Amino acid sequence: MTVNFQYVNTDVSETLSQFTKEKLEKLNNKFEFLISAQVYFKHDDKDHQAGKICNIELSLPGPRIFAKSNEREYELAVSATINDLRRQLEKRKEIYKIY
């Protein structure tokens, strides 16, 4: 699975990219039909409580899956987004089961 990163209003972080890749690889091992992922990290100056936004869009057969979270740290945002994607993928996997 190919992973593309975009950083908006924030500095590029190799450790954050590596952390996200590891999380996405775990998803890819469980759901083998994933093709690619677009990851967007954004910083919102107006939100003083959180402001660290992570958007992930997964490409797979059928409609794309998208999840977004806004937390106080990027690592928490990535984890919350991955959990949302996992739930959506489990629902999608039920469709692919052959009876």
Side-chain angles (χ1 to χ4, degrees), residues 14-28:
E14 288 299 321
T15 56
L16 183 60
S17 297
Q18 189 61 35
F19 175 77
T20 307
K21 276 186 181 180
E22 289 172 7
K23 293 274 191 179
L24 287 171
E25 283 301 319
K26 289 180 184 177
L27 269 185
N28 191 33

Side-chain angles (χ1 to χ4, degrees), residues 44-85:
D44 186 10
D45 293 329
K46 297 176 186 171
D47 190 355
H48 298 292
Q49 297 298 322
K52 308 285 199 255
I53 302 169
C54 175
N55 298 343
I56 299 178
E57 182 179 344
L58 294 178
S59 294
L60 56 145
R64 293 182 178 181
I65 292 179
F66 177 80
K68 175 181 179 179
S69 62
N70 186 1
E71 299 288 339
R72 57 184 158 75
E73 294 180 13
Y74 283 118
E75 288 81 6
L76 294 173
V78 168
S79 296
T81 305
I82 294 287
N83 287 337
D84 289 346
L85 290 170

